[in-house]
Amino acid sequence: MEIDTIFITASGGPFLKTPMTQFKNISAKKATKHPNWKMGKKISVDSSTLMNKVFEIIEAQRIFKLPISKFKILIHPKSYLHSIVKFHDGTSKLLIHDTSMMIPIFNSLFNDDSTKKLKTKKINLNIINNLNLSNVDLLRFPMVKILKMIPNNISLFETVLVSANDCLVDLFLNKKIKYQDIYKNLKKILRLSEFTKLKSSKPKNVLQIIHLSKYVALKTKSLCVM
């Protein structure tokens, strides 16, 4: 069956209901306190900005070789529904599971082994009956707009995105920049001509990616830390 649209859900993180007037005062402690998942500091910050969903869509686009325009993000605060795949025949498939990384890890390791079983909870009908889905507020989560800058082909530009974001999150966690500066600076860096031209450059080897990543980190720090 041909795919029409793939919806990937996001909880909205710790600031889904936070008044945007308070964003200027967001601390690293608040940004790393996810309401549903227990994760490391860096990925928790990415979850709060929805950058993790930007990465997920890029990964899925590369794997399934579909245009990025076929992917959409929906807000789902409970983190129980993880994706919806809508097909051209009018049917859709939903993926649901509890907020445990054991489940996706198990399926990654034992996808083709039917002898392996993972003990999980029963389906939560209360959550299914109250999925509470909504579109992403781009004012609250401007990071999602970066998807429009990503090419459909594999390129070195993704290395720039990952490396610059890594550096900016680290600067935020170390109190060198403000929370809202993560997106503002990332957008500025991604628009530099020396990086935009990399959208048409396919990686040649791992060493090239490592060198570029280090350069992007240095460039990011030089532009963001006075």
Side-chain angles (χ1 to χ4, degrees):
M1 292 183 289
E2 190 171 350
I3 292 174
D4 177 80
T5 312
I6 296 178
F7 298 91
I8 294 178
T9 65
S11 70
F15 309 126
L16 181 61
K17 299 297 183 180
T18 301
M20 292 185 64
T21 54
Q22 296 181 18
F23 273 34
K24 59 184 178 181
N25 299 317
I26 287 176
S27 65
K29 184 177 181 180
K30 291 179 180 178
T32 53
K33 192 175 181 180
H34 196 282
N36 301 333
W37 298 87
K38 293 182 179 180
M39 307 180 290
K41 291 183 179 181
K42 193 271 178 182
I43 186 60
S44 294
V45 174
D46 282 348
S47 181
S48 72
T49 64
L50 257 59
M51 175 52 85
N52 66 326
K53 297 302 160 181
V54 172
F55 289 148
E56 285 179 22
I57 287 179
I58 294 173
E59 291 167 357
Q61 190 277 328
R62 300 308 191 238
I63 292 171
F64 298 109
K65 295 180 174 58
L66 296 169
I68 287 179
S69 60
K70 282 187 175 286
F71 293 86
K72 307 294 181 184
I73 301 172
L74 293 175
I75 297 297
H76 170 50
K78 292 291 186 180
S79 297
Y80 195 64
L81 170 67
H82 300 280
S83 65
I84 303 172
V85 181
K86 184 179 184 297
F87 298 96
H88 280 179
D89 65 0
T91 63
S92 298
K93 291 185 178 182
L94 282 67
L95 175 66
I96 61 172
H97 66 73
D98 292 311
T99 53
S100 169
M101 285 306 296
M102 290 178 62
I103 296 170
I105 291 172
F106 175 88
N107 282 278
S108 296
L109 294 174
F110 305 112
N111 181 53
D112 297 323
D113 190 346
S114 60
T115 65
K116 301 291 184 179
K117 293 184 179 180
L118 179 65
K119 187 176 181 180
T120 57
K121 299 177 182 178
K122 293 181 179 180
I123 293 177
N124 192 323
L125 295 179
N126 289 327
I127 296 179
I128 292 178
N129 288 333
N130 297 278
L131 289 176
N132 193 24
L133 300 171
S134 62
N135 291 316
V136 175
D137 180 350
L138 295 179
L139 291 177
R140 182 176 294 273
F141 301 109
M143 201 68 83
V144 173
K145 293 188 286 187
I146 284 177
L147 281 169
K148 293 183 179 180
M149 304 173 68
I150 307 300
N152 282 309
N153 55 286
I154 296 174
S155 75
L156 286 169
F157 189 70
E158 294 89 274
T159 298
V160 178
L161 172 64
V162 173
S163 302
N165 180 72
D166 283 356
C167 183
L168 289 167
V169 171
D170 184 66
L171 290 172
F172 166 67
L173 290 172
N174 286 285
K175 301 179 181 180
K176 301 293 184 181
I177 62 173
K178 299 291 186 180
Y179 181 78
Q180 290 176 303
D181 291 334
I182 299 175
Y183 170 69
K184 291 177 182 178
N185 287 311
L186 183 59
K187 181 175 65 172
K188 178 173 64 177
I189 291 163
L190 293 177
R191 286 179 173 174
L192 293 175
S193 59
E194 64 177 306
F195 295 143
T196 57
K197 66 181 182 182
L198 295 178
K199 291 182 181 182
S200 58
S201 298
K202 190 174 182 178
K204 297 178 181 178
N205 50 58
V206 174
L207 192 60
Q208 182 190 32
I209 293 174
I210 292 173
H211 286 324
L212 176 59
S213 179
K214 290 180 179 179
Y215 174 73
V216 172
L218 290 173
K219 185 80 173 183
T220 302
K221 288 179 182 178
S222 69
L223 293 174
C224 302
V225 180
M226 303 297 179

